Amino acid sequence: MKKTAFAIALATLGFSANAAVISFDAPLNLQVTEINQTLTLNKFDSSLGTLEAVTVEFFGQGVSGVTIQNTAAQDQNFRFSSVLDLLFTGPLTDTVSIELFNTNGFITIGSGSTVDLGQVDISESLSLNIAASSFASFIGSDLLSFQCESFVTNSQSGGGGNVIVTQNTQAGCGAK
């Protein structure tokens, strides 16, 4: 399982010409969807120097498997796609989208047959540079908190209403 983290970084000590990188981690934890996870991290301690830059990288991971069963008396043409959106909210708001499945057009499923699209394990990330005018949210002795909520969206076409899609999905959120 991949560990992802949250980092606010790059503090310069007042007497030093070199910048130090300070990071805070919140591990990614896979759970059955839909999820609502809290990522809690320490803020930058201003006694360490001056905060010069903040970069936040949101991460997401989706693990999923899909089967499609044709219950019709004849072959059916069918297409399917599935996207996992991870909505991060808190001092920053953004979405990491992960395409889990896409048949890339129609597939034919025989009468009474089941097609297994397999298992996927996909990670995506999004990096955000924070404007200096917003640094105040990242400085202090208290905790910084982000929420991450998942939304799995499936799109299907064809099959005459005689296809059964079975999907099992886990997701996790983190930041670095």
Side-chain angles (χ1 to χ4, degrees), residues 1-4 27-33 35 37 58-64 84-86 88 96-100 120-125 148 150 152 169-175:
M1 181 183 314
K2 207 177 238 186
K3 178 180 179 186
T4 54
L28 181 139
N29 180 26
L30 285 175
Q31 296 177 306
V32 174
T33 56
I35 64 169
Q37 297 178 340
F58 291 132
F59 282 88
Q61 181 181 2
V63 177
S64 189
L84 167 64
D85 287 320
L86 299 171
F88 290 84
V96 173
S97 290
I98 301 172
E99 183 176 70
L100 298 171
V120 297
D121 185 342
I122 303 171
S123 296
E124 294 288 341
S125 65
C148 179
S150 71
V152 176
T169 305
Q170 293 183 328
C173 303

Side-chain angles (χ1 to χ4, degrees), residues 69-165:
Q69 179 186 11
N70 177 8
T71 61
Q74 64 279 352
D75 294 354
Q76 295 293 316
N77 291 319
F78 187 79
R79 69 177 167 200
F80 176 78
S81 65
S82 179
V83 174
L84 167 64
D85 287 320
L86 299 171
L87 175 62
F88 290 84
T89 56
L92 301 171
T93 300
D94 219 317
T95 303
V96 173
S97 290
I98 301 172
E99 183 176 70
L100 298 171
F101 294 96
N102 191 336
T103 59
N104 294 310
F106 286 95
I107 59 173
T108 301
I109 305 172
S111 173
S113 296
T114 299
V115 173
D116 188 342
L117 297 183
Q119 187 82 12
V120 297
D121 185 342
I122 303 171
S123 296
E124 294 288 341
S125 65
L126 173 67
S127 190
L128 304 167
N129 292 315
I130 309 307
S133 60
S134 298
F135 282 3
S137 296
F138 298 89
I139 299 171
S141 58
D142 56 334
L143 297 174
L144 184 63
S145 184
F146 288 96
Q147 289 297 121
C148 179
E149 189 175 358
S150 71
F151 300 90
V152 176
T153 303
N154 293 335
S155 175
Q156 53 197 55
S157 178
N162 297 302
V163 242
I164 299 170
V165 175

Side-chain angles (χ1 to χ4, degrees), residues 30-51:
L30 285 175
Q31 296 177 306
V32 174
T33 56
E34 300 295 349
I35 64 169
N36 192 341
Q37 297 178 340
T38 301
L39 305 173
T40 304
L41 323 200
N42 293 320
K43 290 184 178 181
F44 174 74
D45 181 351
S46 60
S47 71
L48 297 174
T50 303
L51 186 62

